[in-house]
Amino acid sequence: MKTIRLLAFLFTGTILLASCSSDDDNPDPVNEEELITRVTVTLSTEGEEDVTLEFADESGLGHDHDEEEEGSEEDHDHLEGTVSGPLKPNTTYTGSISLLNESVSPADDITEEVKEEADEHQFFYQNIDGLDITNFTYTDAESDYIEDGSDNPVGLSFTLTTGAASHGDLRIVLRHQPVKPNTGLEDAGGETDMDISFHVDIE
Amino acid sequence: MKLAFPLFLLISLFGNIEAALSQNCTAVFKGEVVDFHDGKPLVNALVQLGDTGKVTATDIDGKFTLSGICPGSYEVEISHESCTTRIMTIAITGTTTKRITLEHHLEELKEVVVEGSRDHPVTNSATEQILHSDVIEKFSSASLGDALKEISGVSSLNTGSSIVKPVIQGLHSSRVVTMNNGVRLQDQEWGMEHAPNLDLNAAGSLTVVKGAAALQYGGDAIGGVIIAEPKNIPVKDTLYGKTLLSGATNGRGGALVSSLTKSYESGWYWSAQGTLKRFGDFEAPDYSLTNTGYSQQAFTASFGLNKFTYGFDAYYSFYRNEIGILRASHIGSQEDLLNAINSRAPYIIEPFSYDINAPKQEVTHHLAKLRFFKRFEKLGKWSVQYDFQQNNRREYDVRRGALKGVPAMDMELTTHTLSSDFLFDAQSGRKINTGVMFRYQTNFPDPETGVRRLIPDYDRYDFGAYASLRQYLTDDLILDAGARYDFTRTDAKKFYKKDRWEDQGYDEDFQDIIIEDYDDQWLTNPVFDFHSVSATAGLKYQTVSDEFLFNYALANRAPNPAEMFSDGLHHSAAAIELGDLRMDQETSHKLSLAYSRESRKLRFTLAPYVNFINDYILLEPSGSELTIRGAFPVWQYRQVNARFLGVDFDFNYRIADHWDFTHKFSYVHAKDTSRDRPLVDIPSANTSNRITFTKPEWKNLQITLRSDYYFRQNEYPNNNFDVRVVENGEYVNREMDISTPPDAYHLLGLDASARFPFVKNSEITVGLSADNLFNTNYRDYLNRLRFYADDLGRNFRLQIKINY
C-alpha cells in the first residue's frame, strides 16, 4: 500500500506542478529583430534635385501573396519601392544607401551593422527590362569601414551613369557572406538579406 | 544434469540411513518446492541441508522429506535444473514444514542463457528485428540512424551526414516512437532535421517493431517503435567493462566509448558509460563539406537492486551534441535555392577545419528515471516508473550584428511521466499486460532569440491505458491482441500576425480563442483535445523450421505541435512553413505478414505489408510569399489519404564452411490516394549484399565485403514551381526542380576484424573498415542537403576494443 501512496503523491505533485506553471502569465510577443524595413537610396548630381528611391515595409514580412494565381506573376517576385522622380539621361550620379529596422524602437541602423561587417556584405545593382544605365562603379571598399579591411567593394556608396532615355527596373540586392571577390550576383553565392526593385524612368 | 539426479537420489538415501543411526538427531525437515509464478509443484528439485551432506530430491508432487536432523539453524540450498538456485536459512526443530518457491521462468532464462544469440520479441505477431551489441559497436562513431539501417525496411532521412533520422517502412518523425531504456524519448522529434537524442553506445540491443503493435509504448507509433535497451546485468559478483576507440579518415575524428559495470550476488549493481565524439568537416569525393563537423558528449549512470521478487533501478542519461550544418545550405531566398540547385557544387568550399560555426544546432537532453518492481506469487509482476526529461534545442543561423551568436531558435521541452504496468504471467500459456500512463509536458520557446517563435509555448497533458494478451492456442499457435486508449490535451499560447490569421481563415473559425491584441499580432489560446483508440490482433504459427506471422494494427496519432502551429521561415529549406489549427488525427490500418524459414544452411524472412493511413499529414508547397529577402515558397501542412505497400526480405545462406552470404531487399510504394499521385520523400528500393569469411581459429578473423545499391526513386510527386529571376537584364521564369530524385548509386565497403588475448582476463579486438571504397559521387533522395552537395566520399575507419 505504501507504494500506492507514493504513486498518488507523485501524481499529485505532477498535477500541481502542471497547474501552477504559466497559466496566467502570457508569453511576450517577439518582433523580428533582423528585419530591414526601410531602404533609402539617394542619387545626387550637381545642379539637380536629389532622386530618392525608397522602400518601406512596417511589418517587414512583405505579405504580398501570390497563392499560385496565374497572371499575377508579372507584378511580383521582387518587392518594389517608390521613386521620387526621373533621372536625367547621360548623367553621372553618386549614390548612397541606408537601411533601417523600424519595427523596433528606437529604430536600428542596419547600415552601421553592414559597415561593421563590411567583409561579410556586398550590395549588387542590376538593370532590368531595358533600363539604360551604362556604368555602375563601387566607390567604397571594406577598408573604409573596418580595420585591416581589403579592397573588395561593399556598395554602400557608388556612382552610376545613365545612358539614353529609357524605362525599366533597378534591382538592388544585399548578400550576406558572399564569395568575395566576385564578378557579380551570378557567382557571389551567400544568402540574400535584401532584394528590392525600383521602377526608374530616365527622361 | 539429468543423469546426475538418480545419483543424488542414491546419495540422499544413503545419507538418510546414516542419519537414522544417529541418536540425538531426530528432527524432520519436510515441505514442497513450487514454481513461484503459478504455484505448480517442481519435480526433481534438489534440497541440500548445509554441509551436513543431507540431500534429497522432490517427488512428482514437489514434496520432500529429510529426517534425522540435529536441531539447529541450517543454510538450505534448493536447486532445480531450470531455476535460479535459492539459499535460505531455516531453523529446524521437531518436524519443520516449509513451502519453498523457486523462480521457474523459461523465457527470462532463455534470455540470459543464450543472450545475444536469440531474439526476445517485444510483440508476438508483428514484424520486428533486433540488433545486438556486436553490430552496435561497429557504429560506435556513427549515429543511431546509421546503425538501424542494418535492419531491412529501415532507411534514414538525413540532413547532411550527422543528422540521421530513422525511417521505418517509409514513415518517420512523430510516427516513430523511440524508447530509451523504458522511457519514451521526448525530444522534439517532429522536425525533419531533429535526430533522436540518444547515444547508441549506451544500448545493449536495438529492436525495431515495424508498426503500431507494441501498444505498451504508445498508440501512435504508426511507423513503428525503436527500443534501445541496456545490456542485462547478471546477478553475481562481477566487475566488467569495455573501452572502444575508433578513428575515421573522413571527418578526421573519432569516438571514445567506455563502460564499467559492477554487480553483486545480492542483486545490487551499478553501471556507468560515457561517449565522446569529435569530427571536423567531412569530405565529398571532390570537395570538403564546409562546416559539417560535430561533437557529442554522452554519459549514463545507473544503479539498482535486482532481487527476484522485487527491485528498483535509478537511471540518468545526459546527451549533448553540437552539429555544424553545411555552410552552403544556408540560403536566403528561393532564388538562392535555384542557384544552389543549378550549380551542382556548394558555393562555399573552405579548407578542412574542426570549427563548428553557424548554421549549427546544439542539443542537450537530460533523462532521469526511477523504476520499482515487485513480483507477486501466482500473479505476476508490477512495476511503476517515473521519468523526467528535459530537451533543449538551439539552432543558430547566420546572423548579423549584435544577433550573431544568438540562437534563432531556443526551445526547452520538459516532460514528466508516471506510468505503471502489471504483467500477469502466472498462468502458463497466457500473459496479460496492462498499464496506465500520465504525462505532462511543457514547451518554452525563448523569446530572446529575436525571431518569431516557430513552435509556440504550450502545455500538453497525456493519459493512456492499455491491456494486451498473449495466449497459446496450441503448442504451435499463439494469439495476441490488445487495445489502448489515449487522451491528449494541448493548451498553447500562440501569437499570430493578423494578416496571417486572416489568410488562414482563422478569423472565421477560431475568433473565440483570441485572448489579447498586440498591434499587428493576436495572442491566442488554442486548446485541443484528442481521444485516440488503438488496437492490435495477430497470430503466430511456429514449427521447428518455419514461422508464420500475421498482424493487424489500428493506430491513431494526434497531430504534433509543428503540424498544428508551425509559422515561420525555415532556413535550410528556404521555405515558410505553415501548420494548420484544423488538423485532425491520422488513422492507420496496417496489415503485416511474415514468413520465415530456418534450416542449417539457409534462413530467410519475407515480410510484406500494407498500411492505409487516413488523414496522413504532409508538408508541401502551396504558393510563395514575398519578403525583403526575396520570394520564399510557402509550404503548408495538409492531410490526404495514403496507402503504403511494401515488402522487406532477408536472406542468409551458408555457402561453405567459413563463408556466409547475406542479402536484404526492401521496397515501399507509397501513394497519395486522395490525389492519385506518389507521396514525397519515400525511400527508394534498396538492396544490400554481404559476403563474410569467418575463421575462429585465426584469432576470430572476420572479413566482410559489403555492397549497397540504392535504386533511383521513380515514384515521386511533381512539386516543382516557377521562379522569376533576372538573367541578362531580363526577367525570366525558371523552373525550380525540387522534385526530381537523384540517380541510383552503388557503394562498396569492406570490414575486417580479429580478436587477441590481452593482459589477463581481457581481450582486444581490432577492426578495420572502408566505406565508399571507390569514392563514388552520389546524392541520396532522402538527404535534405542533396540540393547543395554530394554525399560522403571514401572513408577508412580503425576500431580498437578492449574488453575487461
Side-chain angles (χ1 to χ4, degrees), chain B residues 179-242:
Chain B
M179 299 297 299
N180 182 8
N181 191 4
V183 177
R184 180 172 174 164
L185 211 57
Q186 300 286 339
D187 60 347
Q188 316 187 22
E189 78 291 344
W190 51 69
M192 292 231 205
E193 73 283 43
H194 302 182
N197 298 146
L198 157 64
D199 175 21
L200 93 153
N201 294 301
S205 68
L206 290 168
T207 306
V208 171
V209 181
K210 300 170 183 173
L215 291 179
Q216 63 267 44
Y217 301 122
D220 54 349
I222 287 175
V225 187
I226 296 163
I227 302 153
E229 286 288 350
K231 258 210 155 91
N232 279 330
I233 295 174
V235 181
K236 60 179 186 188
D237 283 316
T238 177
L239 174 71
Y240 60 92
K242 70 174 181 198

Side-chain angles (χ1 to χ4, degrees), chain A residues 3-4 7-8 10-11 14 17-19 21-39 55 57-68 73-80 110 113-114 116-117 120-121 126-130 169 171 174-177 179 185-197, chain B residues 327 330-336 339 347-348 358 372 382 384 386 398-404 416 418-420 438-440 442 446-453 457 459 461 491 493-495 497 499-500 503 515-516 518 520-521 523 571 576 621-631 634 636 721-726 728-731 733:
Chain A
T3 337
I4 303 258
L7 195 145
L10 269 170
F11 180 54
T14 314
L17 206 85
S19 48
S21 70
S22 79
D23 243 18
D24 300 275
D25 42 337
N26 288 330
D28 295 324
V30 177
N31 290 307
E32 265 343 285
E33 285 178 27
E34 232 166 338
L35 291 175
I36 298 168
T37 61
R38 186 174 295 273
V39 179
F55 168 81
D57 169 28
E58 304 302 334
S59 75
L61 274 172
H63 277 290
D64 287 351
H65 290 264
D66 78 54
E67 304 275 355
E68 291 194 336
E73 275 170 34
E74 281 302 301
D75 314 312
H76 294 292
D77 273 14
H78 300 285
L79 286 182
E80 206 160 297
I110 307 291
E113 289 183 2
V114 172
E116 281 164 23
E117 292 166 11
E120 290 186 7
H121 287 90
Q126 272 185 336
N127 278 332
I128 308 167
D129 278 355
D169 282 359
R171 179 185 180 210
L174 171 63
R175 284 271 171 92
H176 191 191
Q177 299 198 343
V179 178
L185 269 180
E186 291 69 31
D187 64 346
E191 111 194 57
T192 307
D193 268 1
M194 184 202 97
D195 184 350
I196 310 281
S197 297
Chain B
R327 180 61 188 87
H330 196 264
I331 52 172
S333 68
Q334 61 185 18
E335 189 171 342
D336 294 354
N339 291 336
Y347 263 110
I348 301 166
F372 170 81
W382 174 62
V384 59
Y386 165 75
V398 177
R399 303 181 81 175
R400 197 174 49 227
L403 292 167
K404 235 177 201 167
H416 302 265
L418 185 67
S419 57
S420 176
F438 304 92
R439 179 175 295 135
Y440 166 69
T442 182
D446 194 337
E448 297 301 312
T449 55
V451 176
R452 295 187 64 247
R453 302 164 175 95
D457 293 73
D459 290 325
Y461 308 85
D491 182 343
K493 294 271 174 68
K494 165 139 182 77
F495 288 93
K497 288 255 184 188
D499 43 5
R500 174 87 73 215
D503 283 347
I515 53 174
E516 233 171 303
Y518 291 86
D520 58 339
Q521 301 185 53
L523 174 62
H571 266 282
I576 290 167
S622 71
S624 70
E625 191 163 294
L626 271 180
T627 77
I628 185 101
R629 294 161 183 260
V634 176
Q636 194 131 22
F721 51 91
D722 276 354
V723 186
R724 204 155 75 117
V725 294
V726 177
N728 304 320
E730 300 288 334
Y731 287 113
N733 283 328

